[in-house]
Amino acid sequence: ILGGRTSRPGRWPWQCSLQSDQSGHICGCVLIAKKWLLTVAHCFEGRESPAVWKVVFGINNLDHPSVFMQTRLVKTIILHPRYNRAVVDYDISIVELNEAVNETSYVRPICLPSGGQLVEPDTYCYITGWGHMGNKMPFKLQEGEVRIISLEQCQSYFDMKTITTRMLCAGYESGSVDSCMGDSGGPLVCEHPAGRWTLFGLTSWGSVCFSKVLGPGVYRNVSHFIDWIERQIYIHTFLLN
Amino acid sequence: CISAFCSDSCGSSSLCSTNSRTNCSQCELITLELCMNLPYNFTSYPNYLGHRTQKEASISWESSLFPDLVQTNCYKYLMFFACTILVPKCDPRIHERIPPCRALCEHSKERCESVLGIVGLQWPEDTDCTQFPEENSDNQTCLTPDEDVEECSPSHFKCRSGRCVLASRRCDGQADCEDDSDEENCGCRERGLWECPSNKLCIKHTMICDGFPDCPDKLDEKNCSFCKEDELECANHYCVPRELWCDGQLDCADKSDEWSCVNLSKNMSSLTFLTIHRSATDYHVCADDWQENLSQLACKQMGLGGPPMTDIVQEHEQLPHQKCRVLLYCGRRPAARMSKR
């Protein structure tokens, strides 16, 4: 996260870290049920086998495991069938864990939006992750407040790339707060008045964030994929297992 | 040592000659939260349930059993008895634990064992009351409760009826006392929390002035610093001298002294004056000796593209003696190259 700040431990209990033994943290992810995560599909490019992955929950400092930490292995990776690494549309995947997490105040799933529930432009939401900060990779989870940008306005920043309705843009014209390399798959969450948080986006792509050319970040529009997510979880829970 | 007093560390002491160590225990301060309201402050381990440390006692089955059992109101002095066996009193003169009196043990067992039986649980083993001395017997001292001993531990709330319920159940929206007294007067303060002035939201005291706004109007992060007149407050509440603001050096630990130092300010006529924030004050930039490469630099610092257009204008036409200012128009932000994150 660029221009963010260190999070208080336990503030984002749905945030998880996708790790491989060889490389450590690779991508962010979001807990949506005791055995299910969302992340983006491009995290698995070249690493499609579930066996190479582990998922860490309830952690703030990657370098100092806490007593609230839980680790699970990956049972199934479900990439969106329309994902294409050259186009980056449909950059979303679902991960099934080998074993359910124990729900605690440090490890807790987030609510998904309903199918038609959209987040309005100019709404302020939060992004989180252990991605690049512009000058270093952090150990502690970072958070940043970003403003939702309309697709039309977002398109003006990326004239070589089509912004589709499967995407959500958030950030600032000045690029002051933005996601960065290593934040992919992490959440963009918005708070409703009753203190209820909803997952509206997954960090996907944007400018080369630690170059001087900035712009908003592009996130996966989770509302668009609700039917697909529910269908996949149903199929893998009740039909395939 | 057998021949003398117990030294600081029984296990590793070289003060005792070989084979002359005895199983001496030390008095230690009671840290088991459950038993912090006892009329004594020091304990000695192992305790009467076989736990070797207070940590072990704190995670033991008995540590969760007794607080639950005390809620049944089976015996007024049950918690006192429980604590005398969980954290036995230590006599600092002889470094020995003092047992509860047998009658206290027997009364606790008589009145509460049957309650446990109802839910299919057993009275803790290792609590054979015959191991404890009779009051005033054999010159042995033992513990009996005072009349005014606090029945509820600090982790419990005492209902108006006298019953103890877990403090965490106070003001949780569910009545736990039979007289509902645990749900009365439920403000933030009663719950050990701080109340945001604007919306009555309760937050933990540790969240005040921790650099993270928790109240909607950020009042929990106000008045956190007492900076001197020549200082300004960083985002993390540290104080840094005004002259260090926007001086190109990082002085606040969170770098907030070097944020937004170059801006374009729009005035009433929508002219975009180049503005520099320096020593905590905004200045329009004087046009004397201005060069085009400085316009490029300013646009770049703001993340904007070029080519820049620069105008030199008098800020107040009615005051011709005023110096000229730099009016800057930058290009659009350069198109971003896409990159997966």
Side-chain angles (χ1 to χ4, degrees), chain A residues 88-139:
Chain A
V88 199
D89 211 353
Y90 298 95
D91 186 12
I92 188 168
S93 63
I94 306 171
V95 173
E96 183 183 11
L97 301 172
N98 71 330
E99 186 191 346
V101 296
N102 301 318
E103 197 173 318
T104 68
S105 58
Y106 286 78
V107 180
R108 179 168 292 175
I110 188 163
C111 297
L112 293 176
S114 55
Q117 191 182 354
L118 298 172
V119 60
E120 294 292 318
D122 296 331
T123 306
Y124 284 86
C125 298
Y126 277 89
I127 52 172
T128 50
W130 289 277
H132 213 280
M133 295 172 71
N135 54 355
K136 64 171 182 178
M137 290 293 280
F139 289 116

Side-chain angles (χ1 to χ4, degrees), chain A residues 5-6 8 45 85 88 156-157 159 173-174 178-184 204-208 213-214 217, chain B residues 206-207 210-214 218 220-221 255 259 300 302-304 332-341:
Chain A
R5 62 185 185 189
T6 300
R8 181 188 294 133
E45 285 174 13
R85 64 164 65 189
V88 199
S156 69
Y157 291 101
D159 44 4
E173 194 173 346
S174 62
D178 198 7
S179 50
C180 198
M181 285 29 175
D183 289 321
S184 271
S204 179
W205 62 277
S207 62
V208 181
V213 181
L214 301 171
Chain B
T206 52
M207 293 176 170
D210 67 347
F212 299 96
D214 295 289
K218 303 182 179 178
D220 58 313
E221 296 299 322
K255 306 171 189 170
W259 292 348
K300 196 177 168 192
M302 290 181 280
L304 299 173
R332 285 180 62 183
R333 186 176 305 286
R337 195 159 59 84
M338 180 226 161
S339 144
K340 293 171 190 173
R341 289 179 169 176

Side-chain angles (χ1 to χ4, degrees), chain A residues 171-231:
Chain A
Y172 300 93
E173 194 173 346
S174 62
S176 51
V177 183
D178 198 7
S179 50
C180 198
M181 285 29 175
D183 289 321
S184 271
L188 180 150
V189 291
C190 310
E191 188 181 20
H192 294 296
R196 186 183 170 91
W197 291 89
T198 306
L199 177 74
F200 281 101
L202 296 170
T203 302
S204 179
W205 62 277
S207 62
V208 181
C209 47
F210 40 80
S211 72
K212 291 290 177 192
V213 181
L214 301 171
V218 183
Y219 300 81
R220 204 53 29 202
N221 184 350
V222 174
S223 304
H224 184 89
F225 293 94
I226 292 299
D227 285 347
W228 179 72
I229 294 166
E230 289 177 349
R231 205 176 306 134

Side-chain angles (χ1 to χ4, degrees), chain B residues 134-320:
Chain B
E134 300 271 14
E135 201 174 352
N136 304 323
S137 70
D138 303 334
N139 291 330
Q140 265 198 291
T141 52
C142 63
L143 295 174
T144 53
D146 292 335
E147 270 297 308
D148 58 349
V149 69
E150 267 299 328
E151 193 177 354
C152 302
S153 79
S155 61
H156 287 75
F157 169 75
K158 191 168 187 174
C159 304
R160 207 180 304 113
S161 63
R163 183 176 170 184
C164 304
V165 295
L166 280 174
S168 58
R169 294 189 184 162
R170 163 114 170 94
C171 296
D172 67 349
Q174 304 268 331
D176 298 285
C177 300
E178 50 280 286
D179 54 12
D180 295 355
S181 55
D182 60 317
E183 295 300 322
E184 290 173 1
N185 302 316
C186 288
C188 297
R189 202 174 149 197
E190 286 70 30
R191 293 157 61 192
L193 300 169
W194 188 76
E195 185 179 289
C196 293
S198 58
N199 66 345
K200 310 288 181 194
L201 180 76
C202 299
I203 63 171
K204 291 180 186 170
H205 285 277
T206 52
M207 293 176 170
I208 301 169
C209 293
D210 67 347
F212 299 96
D214 295 289
C215 298
D217 47 10
K218 303 182 179 178
L219 275 177
D220 58 313
E221 296 299 322
K222 296 237 167 88
N223 301 321
C224 298
S225 302
F226 297 96
C227 297
K228 296 178 205 154
E229 260 189 31
D230 61 343
E231 290 178 329
L232 280 178
E233 186 179 345
C234 306
N236 63 1
H237 306 306
Y238 283 88
C239 296
V240 160
R242 283 169 178 266
E243 74 256 22
L244 300 182
W245 230 255
C246 288
D247 66 347
Q249 306 289 323
L250 299 175
D251 300 292
C252 293
D254 60 3
K255 306 171 189 170
S256 52
D257 61 312
E258 298 296 325
W259 292 348
S260 303
C261 296
V262 181
N263 278 305
L264 292 174
S265 71
K266 287 189 178 175
N267 65 7
M268 297 294 282
S269 58
S270 295
L271 297 175
T272 52
F273 284 105
L274 181 61
T275 308
I276 303 295
H277 190 76
R278 189 71 197 258
S279 299
T281 310
D282 284 328
Y283 298 98
H284 286 173
V285 176
C286 172
D288 289 353
D289 299 324
W290 187 257
Q291 294 164 12
E292 195 57 27
N293 60 345
L294 294 175
S295 295
Q296 287 172 8
L297 177 64
C299 288
K300 196 177 168 192
Q301 284 186 334
M302 290 181 280
L304 299 173
M309 273 173 45
T310 314
D311 267 342
I312 308 297
V313 295
Q314 279 191 339
E315 200 171 342
H316 303 290
E317 288 187 3
Q318 64 273 35
L319 299 170

Side-chain angles (χ1 to χ4, degrees), chain B residues 14 24 33 68 74 89 117 129 188 200 233 250 254 323-324:
Chain B
S14 58
C24 57
E33 204 277 335
D68 284 345
C74 57
K89 182 178 179 180
C129 294
C188 297
K200 310 288 181 194
E233 186 179 345
L250 299 175
D254 60 3
K323 286 185 178 172
C324 298

